C-alpha cells in the first residue's frame, strides 16, 4: 500500500488535516501508527477506505490506484475495528458473525479465542447464545472491544485496521491478542493506531504523525535512538507501568 498525499482538508474545514505525506506499508507487516491527538491518524484510515475522495490524495494497492476499485471491492479487503465498539441487540455469536452470517460455530469460536474473549463468553449461562443489549447482558468496555476484534478477524480481509481498538484492554491482554494475530499464520497486514506505545516494540514499522505529517518513522529501536517524541512518550509510559506495578 502506497500513500502519496499532497494534502487533505476536510470539506468545509479551513485547515488541512494532512500535509504532504508519503508512506509505504508492506504486505504482511505489523505497522504501528501513533502521534498526539488530532495528528491525522484516523484521517489516514478514512482516506484509505475512501470515506472521502480528494484529487490530492493518491493511494495505490499493489500498484493499482484505489479509485479503480468499487467501494465494496475496496472495503472488503480491510477489516476495521473502530475505537467505539458497535454491538447489536442480538446474540454474541450473531454479533461476532455480523460480517459473515454463515460462519460456523467453530469459526466463531476460533476468532473469539484469538481475540481472548472466548473464556469470558463461556462464563455466561447461555454462552455464545447470550443476548446482548436491552433484553440481555451488558458487557464491559473491554469485552465489547474484544468482541469487535473477533468480528473483524472473521472477515476475509487481508488488512486489519485497528483504530485505538485496544484502549479499554490492559497491556497484557493487548499483547496476547497481538501475539495471536502475528502467530496465527493468517499473514494479514496489521495497522495498529494506538496512544499506548508499549506494544509497538513488536511492530515491523512505526510511523509517528505530527500535525498531519510524518515526524518519525522506523523500527522501535531506531525511534528510541532518535530521541524524539516517540522515545520521550515511550519512556514516560514505561515508567508509569513500573510505578503502577
Ligand atoms: P485521535 O488520536 O484523537 O483519534 P487523530 O490523530 O485520529 O486523533 P484525526 O481524527 O485524523 O486525528 O483528525 C486530524 C485533524 O482533522 C484534526 O485537526 C481534526 O480536528 C480534524 N478533523 C477530523 N475529522 C474531521 C471532520 N469530519 N471535519 C473536519 N475536521 C476534521
Ligand atoms: Mg483518531
Amino acid at each position: 500500500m502506497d500513500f502519496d498525499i499532497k494534502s487533505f482538508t476536510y470539506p468545509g474545514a479551513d485547515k488541512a488535516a494532512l500535509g504532504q505525506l508519503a508512506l509505504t506499508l508492506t504486505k504482511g507487516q505489523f505497522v504501528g501508527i501513533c502521534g498526539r491527538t488530532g495528528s491525522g491518524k484516523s484521517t489516514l484510515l478514512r482516506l484509505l477506505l475512501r470515506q472521502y475522495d480528494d484529487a490530492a490524495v493518491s493511494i495505490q494497492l499493489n500498484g493499482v490506484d484505489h479509485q479503480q476499485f468499487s467501494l465494496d471491492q475496496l472495503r472488503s479487503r480491510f477489516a476495521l475495528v473502530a475505537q467505539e465498539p458497535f454491538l447489536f441487540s442480538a446474540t454474541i455469536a450473531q454479533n461476532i458473525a455480523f460480517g459473515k452470517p454463515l460462519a460456523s460455530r467453530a469459526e466463531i469460536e476460533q476468532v473469539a479465542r484469538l481475540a481472548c474473549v472466548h473464556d469470558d463468553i463461556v462464563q455466561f449461562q447461555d454462552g455464545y447464545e447470550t443476548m446482548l443489549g436491552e433484553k440481555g447482558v451488558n458487557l464491559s468496555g473491554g469485552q465489547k472491544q474484544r468482541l469487535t476484534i473477533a468480528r473483524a478477524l472473521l472477515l476475509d480481509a487481508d488488512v486489519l485496521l485497528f483504530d485505538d481498538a485496544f484502549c479499554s484492554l490492559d497491556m497484557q491482554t493487548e499483547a496476547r491478542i497481538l501475539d495471536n494475530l502475528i502467530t496465527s499464520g493468517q499473514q494479514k497486514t496489521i495497522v495498529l493506531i494506538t496512544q499506548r506505545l508499549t506494544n509497538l516494540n513488536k511492530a515491523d514499522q512505526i510511523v509517528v504523525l505530527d500535525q498531519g505529517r510524518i515526524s518519525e518513522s522506523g523500527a522501535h529501536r531506531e525511534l528510541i535512538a532518535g530521541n524524539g517524541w516517540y522515545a520521550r512518550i515511550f519512556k514516560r509510559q514505561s515508567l508509569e507501568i513500573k510505578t503502577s506495578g
Side-chain angles (χ1 to χ4, degrees):
M1 274 184 290
D2 300 295
F3 292 78
D4 185 4
I5 297 172
K6 307 251 173 323
S7 79
F8 173 73
T9 306
Y10 280 98
D14 44 53
K15 203 169 143 276
L18 295 178
Q20 192 167 15
L21 186 158
L23 174 65
T24 296
L25 306 183
T26 308
K27 208 172 168 221
Q29 283 201 333
F30 169 17
V31 181
I33 299 180
C34 51
R36 59 186 101 231
T37 174
S39 57
K41 304 179 296 294
S42 299
T43 302
L44 217 47
L45 297 192
R46 291 184 198 119
L47 293 177
L48 179 63
L49 297 174
R50 276 181 54 202
Q51 290 174 7
Y52 296 89
D53 278 331
D54 192 298
V57 172
S58 153
I59 300 175
Q60 312 260 320
L61 303 174
N62 299 328
V64 181
D65 192 304
H66 85 326
Q67 299 277 0
Q68 303 274 321
F69 299 92
S70 72
L71 274 185
D72 282 348
Q73 253 179 345
L74 177 82
R75 290 178 185 166
S76 70
R77 306 186 53 175
F78 300 97
L80 171 70
V81 188
Q83 179 166 358
E84 283 299 317
F86 186 76
L87 296 170
F88 308 91
S89 295
T91 67
I92 287 180
Q94 285 166 333
N95 267 282
I96 294 178
F98 173 68
K100 196 176 178 184
L102 298 178
S104 68
R105 180 53 55 87
E107 286 177 284
I108 292 173
E109 272 194 38
Q110 189 200 3
V111 292
R113 284 179 200 278
L114 289 175
C116 294
V117 68
H118 172 80
D119 291 345
D120 296 54
I121 296 172
V122 294
Q123 300 284 320
F124 295 120
Q125 200 180 343
D126 296 325
Y128 281 84
E129 297 307 319
T130 303
M131 278 297 295
L132 300 184
E134 282 169 38
K135 296 207 184 84
V137 304
N138 281 311
L139 301 178
S140 72
Q143 287 171 329
K144 287 181 190 163
Q145 267 189 342
R146 282 174 285 146
L147 274 194
T148 53
I149 293 169
R151 178 193 291 159
L153 300 181
L154 194 57
L155 300 174
D156 296 313
D158 27 62
V159 184
L160 298 171
L161 305 171
F162 296 109
D163 193 350
D164 248 325
F166 293 87
C167 60
S168 306
L169 306 181
D170 59 62
M171 261 177 53
Q172 286 76 11
T173 308
E174 176 178 11
R176 267 169 57 213
I177 298 175
L178 285 173
D179 283 340
N180 287 347
L181 299 185
I182 294 165
T183 58
S184 70
Q186 293 186 313
Q187 293 291 309
K188 292 190 181 187
T189 309
I190 300 172
V191 179
L192 176 73
I193 292 181
T194 181
Q195 307 275 354
R196 194 159 62 191
L197 309 186
T198 35
N199 275 310
L200 288 185
N201 51 0
K202 303 186 193 83
D204 298 296
Q205 182 190 359
I206 300 167
V207 177
V208 182
L209 293 184
D210 185 21
Q211 297 187 42
R213 288 168 198 267
I214 297 176
S215 58
E216 298 166 54
S217 84
H220 174 79
R221 289 152 139 251
E222 296 171 292
L223 296 192
I224 292 294
N227 247 330
W229 180 89
Y230 182 91
R232 203 168 64 243
I233 301 298
F234 181 82
K235 278 171 203 152
R236 186 195 298 165
Q237 292 183 352
S238 310
L239 279 176
E240 283 166 9
I241 296 161
K242 280 198 195 104
T243 48
S244 69

